[in-house]
Amino acid sequence: MNLDDMQNKRNICILGSTGSIGRQTLDVIDRTNGYFRIASLTTNNNIDLLEKQCSRYHPKSVAIVNENAYYKFKQQTNYKGKILCGESELIEVASDTHNDLVVSSLVGFAGVKPTLAAIQNKIDIALANKEVLVAAGQIVVKAAKENSVKILPIDSEHSAILQCLAGESHRQIDKLILTASGGPFFNTPKNELKLIKSDQALNHPNWSMGNKVTIDSATMMNKGFEVIEAHWLFDIGIDKIKVLMHPQSIVHSMVQFVDSSMKAQLGVPDMRIPISYALTYPDRYTYDFPQLKLFQLAQLNFCEPDLDKFPCLQLAFDAINQGGNAPAIVNAANEIAVDAFINHRIGFYDIPKFIEQSLKNIHFVSNPTLNDIFETNEEARKYVLQLI
């Protein structure tokens, strides 16, 4: 595809433009020779970087969630566009009908409302926020179908599956196989993980990600969330989704078909590659990203995950099998526990312990409404904070 020949630029809104995915999305856009117009950018409180982004991309509007950061930005900025504040105005930015695509890369449950609002206004989504589908997958997918909206995954694993399924019949899928690097503790004995500190867990061997996602990778809750996401994104039974450990992070995921043949998507561990595919799907643009050189690979290893060592993965399977608001409970409990671990308030294995206790003690709703999901989120957060 030659994007340079396109007549009209696509208006793009980036939720979380100052985060890891947001910054890498802008890097991808810089390489497409003006095909995208930056309509709006948002941040929680990183106003210094937002100021630089405004100077470079001249968005029509920006939204700053943190009120103090908003007032500070207004006092110091030279930006002349519309400056909005708070969650309600973040939703306004996301759901602007001039948007052609919303990149949803906010961290945590905060991404649910603005992403859903964009979907309800018939805007396609490039989704990097796992929690949107983990906490409210049934509601979000239903809204996307009703509004003929595409949800295009940015996660490397789901992007890989999307690419493997191109031209294939859904009914011929035997299983989806998500690969997991194992994070920094793939070779660490379980008894040593009890003493792990957050700075060790934040040192991922392959990927550059935000703090929360990096800790989720270390506990393998990240992979559990991806299992739940895959269930909703590809409308596939949870019994047909498998996880394999693959420490090299070269094979990003695989699909096995009913005739026992298998497709895999390979590439260097660079998030800009799945981001670029989501932005121009179903076409591809020519980039100068680092290329995989198979002849330089010594080996590719795969093994089954150790669920005793990484109990968060099993908890995610338990939650989606239970259904209802159980995934929302897991998501909220994990978010609070991870934050506490990063701030040295709890240990590494307290994270799955608090999640498991939340699943047992938070009120279960078998067929939740969106309001039920938000109530579950609040209840689970308060419960874990009390445990801490």
Side-chain angles (χ1 to χ4, degrees):
M1 177 184 185
N2 185 359
L3 298 185
D4 300 333
D5 293 338
M6 299 295 290
Q7 296 300 310
N8 298 312
K9 293 183 179 182
R10 298 193 76 200
N11 290 317
I12 188 167
C13 165
I14 304 177
L15 304 178
S17 65
T18 60
S20 175
I21 294 296
R23 297 193 306 271
Q24 291 179 86
T25 299
L26 289 170
D27 181 65
V28 171
I29 288 170
D30 285 342
R31 299 163 188 265
T32 56
N33 297 321
Y35 175 58
F36 293 98
R37 178 186 293 111
I38 305 299
S40 50
L41 302 171
T42 83
T43 188
N44 181 35
N45 56 22
N46 192 347
I47 55 173
D48 292 335
L49 180 54
L50 182 66
E51 177 77 45
K52 293 176 182 177
Q53 292 176 347
C54 288
S55 297
R56 180 175 178 86
Y57 299 104
H58 309 290
K60 181 181 70 174
S61 61
V62 298
I64 302 166
V65 177
N66 182 282
E67 188 173 351
N68 291 332
Y70 163 76
Y71 286 115
K72 186 177 178 181
F73 184 79
K74 287 199 74 172
Q75 291 171 354
Q76 71 181 37
T77 188
N78 293 316
Y79 170 65
K80 303 301 182 184
K82 192 174 183 181
I83 307 172
L84 301 168
C85 176
E87 182 187 55
S88 62
E89 295 193 326
L90 173 72
I91 293 170
E92 178 184 328
V93 164
S95 58
D96 188 325
T97 53
H98 290 98
N99 293 330
D100 296 305
L101 181 71
V102 168
V103 176
S104 178
S105 59
L106 297 173
V107 176
F109 191 79
V112 174
K113 281 186 179 179
T115 303
L116 189 57
I119 290 171
Q120 289 167 339
N121 272 5
K122 304 184 185 304
I123 303 165
D124 288 339
I125 305 295
L127 185 65
N129 178 298
K130 291 176 173 30
E131 292 81 2
V132 168
L133 290 180
V134 171
Q138 185 171 2
I139 294 166
V140 170
V141 168
K142 182 173 183 286
K145 289 179 179 177
E146 289 173 349
N147 290 283
S148 301
V149 164
K150 293 191 287 290
I151 301 178
L152 302 164
I154 281 178
D155 271 347
S156 61
E157 294 81 1
H158 301 111
S159 177
I161 290 171
L162 183 65
Q163 293 177 62
C164 289
L165 290 177
E168 301 287 353
S169 168
H170 185 276
R171 60 187 175 83
Q172 293 177 341
I173 299 170
D174 180 60
K175 61 175 67 75
L176 307 181
I177 303 170
L178 300 171
T179 55
S181 70
F185 307 133
F186 178 69
N187 292 312
T188 305
K190 181 185 176 184
N191 63 319
E192 294 181 16
L193 291 181
K194 297 176 183 178
L195 304 176
I196 288 294
K197 303 300 182 184
S198 60
D199 58 337
Q200 296 168 280
L202 287 168
N203 186 26
H204 198 286
N206 299 337
W207 296 98
S208 174
M209 304 176 289
N211 285 354
K212 197 264 183 185
V213 178
T214 304
I215 298 298
D216 283 346
S217 179
T219 66
M220 284 198 66
M221 180 54 84
N222 197 45
K223 202 56 49 180
F225 284 168
E226 288 171 10
V227 168
I228 297 171
E229 281 186 282
H231 166 69
W232 294 117
L233 278 170
F234 303 108
D235 190 23
I236 199 83
I238 203 70
D239 59 315
K240 291 189 174 185
I241 304 174
K242 310 297 179 187
V243 173
L244 276 182
M245 307 297 286
H246 172 51
Q248 292 87 7
S249 295
I250 296 297
V251 176
H252 297 299
S253 277
M254 298 171 273
V255 178
Q256 186 161 305
F257 297 94
V258 293
D259 62 355
S260 296
S261 65
M262 184 178 289
K263 279 187 180 181
Q265 189 266 332
L266 287 72
V268 296
D270 186 334
M271 282 304 302
R272 294 174 301 172
I273 297 173
I275 289 170
S276 69
Y277 190 66
L279 295 188
T280 61
Y281 176 86
D283 298 301
R284 298 178 188 269
Y285 188 73
T286 302
Y287 298 95
D288 60 352
F289 301 143
Q291 294 187 348
L292 179 64
K293 294 179 172 60
L294 287 171
F295 63 87
Q296 293 180 349
L297 297 176
Q299 57 186 349
L300 298 176
N301 302 103
F302 302 90
C303 65
E304 297 281 347
D306 184 342
L307 298 179
D308 184 53
K309 180 178 169 180
F310 297 110
C312 283
L313 179 56
Q314 183 61 58
L315 288 168
F317 272 102
D318 293 344
I320 192 61
N321 277 317
Q322 185 176 354
N325 67 334
I329 294 170
V330 169
N331 177 71
N334 179 71
E335 210 165 303
I336 296 300
V338 166
D339 182 72
F341 175 67
I342 290 173
N343 289 289
H344 314 291
R345 298 176 63 197
I346 64 172
F348 187 76
Y349 276 124
D350 287 327
I351 298 173
K353 181 178 76 174
F354 290 160
I355 294 169
E356 185 173 15
Q357 288 180 252
S358 300
L359 272 174
K360 291 178 179 177
N361 291 286
I362 301 301
H363 176 63
F364 176 70
V365 182
S366 59
N367 189 26
T369 63
L370 187 60
N371 188 56
D372 290 329
I373 295 296
F374 279 92
E375 289 181 357
T376 295
N377 180 63
E378 289 301 314
E379 184 183 355
R381 286 168 179 269
K382 290 177 182 178
Y383 177 74
V384 177
L385 283 171
Q386 289 173 349
L387 292 177
I388 294 169

